[in-house]
Amino acid sequence: MPEIPPLRDPQSLKRLLAPRSIAVIGVSGEPTGFGARTVQNMAGFDGEVWCVNPKYAGQALHGRPCFASVADLPGAPDSAVIALPRTGVMEAVKALAAKGGGGAVIYASGYGETDLPERAEEEALLRETARALNFPLLGANCLGFVDHAQRVGATFMPDYVKMTAPAGGVGVVSQSGALGYALMQAAERGFAMCHMTTAGNATDLDVCDLAAFQLTLPHCRSIALAVEGLRDARRLFLLGEMARGLGKPIVVLKLGRGEVGAKAAMSHTGSLAGSTAAWSAGFRRAGMLEVEDFDALLETAGFLAKAPPPKARGVG
């Protein structure tokens, strides 16, 4: 049996996921476009935000400076959001890596989740290219991430700036972008969290890499993890070992249960859902607390962020 692929070094993801400067590639003048929404969601961020679109070069776009190309940016962006169609993604990744960027979020879909062999090959080439360039990717086919502590809304979902709840101690990691953002909206009811990431297809970074990064955040005290599938589920054991070492619990919800759910997961993010019993056994071995619905995911993770996990069995 091959060795378990190691977790990505959390320090190597700090620029991407806790940035001090952000470039949004493919911003249009249309305020409802994915790039424009992303820029609008940065209204509370006090770092640099740069737009890239040759059509608007030299102008202010949604209140931020716009440049003709990645090469023209005044510095190397810590994080970049690629709001381009799939056909423009590879060129943007190479340009950002050449500029010295810290990583990129990819919104575009149409890769392996389509079940077309040529699209799966295209996604594999994107992964190989990014890893050869040492340039981490979030996505493809994802809704981005949110750093509630720094008010970074690197997502195209609308109205992030209206989420007024203070940052809390729960880190949220979801394969599904829609679910991740729905969980974030619990902030409107006073549920405080610090960071939310969505893996999408997990072309490069998967939910284990993302949760490992959140575990290293000082203000993160528990993880709420929603997973559809993994290329190598044994990585959960590495994540669980890391969580135990840091004394931070992981509460997990398995998505794609049953035959219908498994098919939905495959078409959604290209994930193989696998056996429910096998996943539950894996979560137990990894030392994670499995729950069965979204309410329990947030409530349990929220409780454990306030109270340390019990030291013995039989605690009620």
Side-chain angles (χ1 to χ4, degrees):
M1 183 175 292
E3 292 185 6
I4 304 176
L7 299 175
R8 194 70 60 89
D9 177 8
Q11 284 302 308
S12 72
L13 305 182
K14 188 173 182 179
R15 292 180 67 198
L16 170 61
L17 298 175
R20 297 305 307 151
S21 60
I22 296 176
V24 185
I25 319 301
V27 186
S28 72
E30 171 55 52
T32 59
F34 283 7
R37 282 184 181 175
T38 304
V39 175
Q40 294 160 12
N41 285 337
M42 301 292 178
F45 176 54
D46 63 3
E48 296 283 356
V49 178
W50 302 314
C51 302
V52 175
N53 186 330
K55 183 178 178 180
Y56 301 96
Q59 304 178 35
L61 195 55
H62 309 293
R64 303 288 186 171
C66 188
F67 300 86
S69 68
V70 170
D72 292 333
L73 291 173
D78 283 339
S79 187
V81 174
I82 301 176
L84 295 170
R86 189 195 85 256
T87 51
V89 168
M90 180 69 85
E91 181 181 352
V93 165
K94 291 178 178 178
L96 286 161
K99 186 70 177 180
V105 176
I106 299 174
Y107 290 158
S109 59
Y111 289 98
E113 81 281 1
T114 63
D115 205 26
L116 297 173
E118 63 272 22
R119 296 292 180 85
E121 290 174 7
E122 185 178 343
E123 185 171 359
L125 179 59
L126 180 62
R127 175 170 55 253
E128 292 165 6
T129 301
R131 291 182 177 179
L133 294 170
N134 195 27
F135 187 78
L137 301 179
L138 183 63
N141 187 26
C142 81
L143 266 73
F145 74 95
V146 165
D147 182 335
H148 222 35
Q150 295 190 122
R151 302 303 297 176
V152 175
T155 175
F156 61 82
M157 293 300 286
D159 296 333
Y160 169 68
V161 293
K162 294 182 180 179
M163 290 187 179
T164 56
V170 178
V172 176
V173 180
S174 174
Q175 206 144 4
S176 163
L179 171 60
Y181 200 77
L183 294 174
M184 277 296 299
Q185 290 176 318
E188 299 297 320
R189 298 292 181 266
F191 186 87
M193 56 195 73
C194 57
H195 203 279
M196 187 277 291
T197 52
T198 63
N201 286 16
T203 304
D204 180 26
L205 303 174
D206 67 11
V207 293
C208 294
D209 297 313
L210 302 175
F213 170 78
Q214 290 183 347
L215 285 171
T216 65
L217 297 173
H219 43 281
C220 179
R221 296 185 293 278
S222 71
I223 300 290
L225 175 63
V227 58
E228 289 183 3
L230 290 164
R231 277 189 290 271
D232 192 329
R234 297 175 301 164
R235 303 182 87 237
L236 289 167
F237 306 149
L238 302 181
L239 178 62
E241 183 179 356
M242 179 181 178
R244 285 193 298 275
L246 293 171
K248 298 182 179 184
I250 296 178
V251 183
V252 61
L253 173 65
K254 177 66 177 70
L255 306 175
R257 289 172 172 269
E259 184 178 351
V260 173
K263 289 180 179 178
M266 185 63 193
S267 63
H268 181 212
T269 60
S271 300
L272 295 173
S275 160
T276 298
W279 278 100
S280 294
F283 294 144
R284 286 194 299 272
R285 179 176 167 184
M288 299 175 185
L289 178 59
E290 186 180 14
V291 295
E292 295 187 356
D293 58 52
F294 304 129
D295 288 341
L297 180 66
L298 285 181
E299 290 171 2
T300 308
F303 174 79
L304 292 175
K306 298 172 184 175
K311 300 293 185 183
R313 295 181 179 276
V315 176

